[in-house]
Every structure is written in structure tokens, then in C-alpha cells.
Amino acid sequence: MQRIREDVPIARRVPRGAKSRELPIGPVVLSVALALGTGLAALFLLQDQISQGFLAPSLVAGIDVKPDQFGRLLGHFPYPEATADQLIEIAPGMLLQADAAAAYEQMRRAAETDGVELRLISAYRSMSTQKQIFFDVKSERNQTAEARAKVSAPPGYSEHSTGYAIDMGDGSLPQSNLSVDFETTPAFYWLQNNAQRYHFQLSFPLGNRQGVSYEPWHWRFEGTSDALKRFQPANQHEQRGV
């Protein structure tokens, strides 16, 4: 008996005299076209946002890597810096966009009613502050820019600079602040079940597509059209892998 070569595609193993079935080309072509169309639409939308200024990719002194075609630098999307007239003080030395501040205060009071003590650890950061956080710690820890970007955004690429992002802790367990251990606290459990009611979303969940380290304490406000525009590229990237 003649042996069939294992390297021959199965689709070609048709006995003589047997009538081969035709591949339904129409549905396959249509499915491929739809998939390509969706991907291209997302690509063009992101590039359009870059050209309109929603994304403003730029080189960062001290980092040799260039932003990719979507404006991302080491996994982070670029963000504009909030202006002074857009910010209000929500706690001593802490500023937020007015809508984000109002939503956070409502959320904090609701959590307090449920016996949970949300603590605001960090809010708006200027680009100059973010520059110090990125490069000073990078130097202290002898990190590469790629390694540092896993846990901190380069200046010009931090959600905190928009005035819409916050870091939160649990007042009853301060030792968990800015630690993955925060995910075991009553505050994080409460946020998982209630934060979206106040338009806050976890920015860097476990296994996020941006490749940023898991940060259960870092949440961003998406409750206005301006905030949605700022974070739309990041949301599309997370949902579609674009």
C-alpha cells in the first residue's frame, strides 16, 4: 500500500473519481472583508485623532525609542496637559478637572456610606512633575526606559496630566497603597462593583494590551465628552487590540 506523505495538505488527499466539494468562497471573502474593514476603520480613526491633536506624539529627551504609528511610546498613549483654568483643588495640594472632582467626591461619599474609606493618593501631575517621577526613579533604580515605562509613563504620556486620572487607596489599610495588594482591600472590591456608576474605569487591568504593569489603584474618569475623546484610543486598543 502506498503511504500518504504527511507533508501533503489534507485538503489535497482526494481519491481518484471522487467529486471534490467547492469551497464557499462568497461567505469567506465577505467575512475577511468585514474584518479588514473594521481594523482599517479603527486605524484611520486613531490616525485622524493624531492629526486633529487629540493625540500629540512627540519625542522625549532621554528616550531613544520613537512613538509608533498610533502615537504610543513604550506602550503609553500621549495626553495633553490640563490647563490651570480647568483644574480645581479637591484636597490639599491635589487638583482635578472639575467634573472628575465632583464625580470622585460623590463616589467617596457613597463608599463611606457603605463603610469603605477611599483615600485619594494622587491626582493631576504636570508634565514637569511626571518627568521627575520617570527619570529620577529610573536613575535611582538603574532601569532602562523600557523597564521604567512598565510602571510609570514618560512625560507627555501620563493620564495624570489630563486631570482625569487618580490613584486611590484604602484608608483602613494604608500599607496597601500603590501596591498590587490593594486588590485585596475592601476599597478595591467596592470600586470593582461601583466605580463605573461614577464613570471611573480601571486604566491598567491585569494583562492589559498596553503592556503596562497591573495597577489596581489607578482609575480614570470618562464621564464627559472631552474625557472620552482623551481615552478613546486607549479604550479602542484594549477592546480591539489595535
Side-chain angles (χ1 to χ4, degrees), residues 180-197:
V180 174
D181 289 342
F182 178 64
E183 69 174 2
T184 66
T185 66
F188 182 71
Y189 180 79
W190 190 94
L191 288 167
Q192 282 186 305
N193 290 283
N194 297 280
Q196 289 189 351
R197 297 180 184 178

Side-chain angles (χ1 to χ4, degrees), residues 83-238:
T83 57
D85 62 303
Q86 294 174 320
L87 302 168
I88 65 171
E89 189 173 61
I90 188 171
M94 294 192 188
L95 306 174
L96 278 178
Q97 294 261 8
D99 292 316
Y104 169 75
E105 186 57 27
Q106 291 177 354
M107 183 169 69
R108 185 194 65 77
R109 289 198 300 264
E112 187 176 44
T113 300
D114 291 338
V116 174
E117 188 178 357
L118 291 180
R119 283 288 178 86
L120 188 62
I121 298 173
S122 181
Y124 162 78
R125 293 184 203 145
S126 67
M127 289 189 186
S128 60
T129 298
Q130 191 66 29
K131 181 179 180 180
Q132 293 175 347
I133 291 174
F134 186 88
F135 286 105
D136 289 356
V137 177
K138 172 182 176 296
S139 179
E140 290 174 5
R141 298 180 181 177
N142 193 30
Q143 293 176 312
T144 63
E146 290 79 1
R148 182 67 187 142
K150 293 289 184 181
V151 295
S152 183
Y157 293 80
S158 173
E159 293 184 351
H160 284 284
S161 294
T162 67
Y164 289 125
I166 57 177
D167 292 336
M168 287 182 281
D170 189 314
S172 66
L173 294 167
Q175 65 272 22
S176 68
N177 289 352
L178 304 179
S179 164
V180 174
D181 289 342
F182 178 64
E183 69 174 2
T184 66
T185 66
F188 182 71
Y189 180 79
W190 190 94
L191 288 167
Q192 282 186 305
N193 290 283
N194 297 280
Q196 289 189 351
R197 297 180 184 178
Y198 304 92
H199 308 291
F200 281 93
Q201 174 176 312
L202 187 63
S203 293
F204 304 115
L206 194 63
N208 64 85
R209 291 182 180 272
Q210 288 183 238
V212 179
S213 295
Y214 174 43
E215 295 186 351
W217 61 86
H218 182 115
W219 298 70
R220 65 183 180 230
F221 175 75
E222 297 184 351
T224 64
S225 59
D226 182 70
L228 282 173
K229 286 178 183 178
R230 298 296 177 222
F231 301 121
Q232 186 177 31
N235 282 327
Q236 287 180 330
H237 179 65
E238 193 65 30

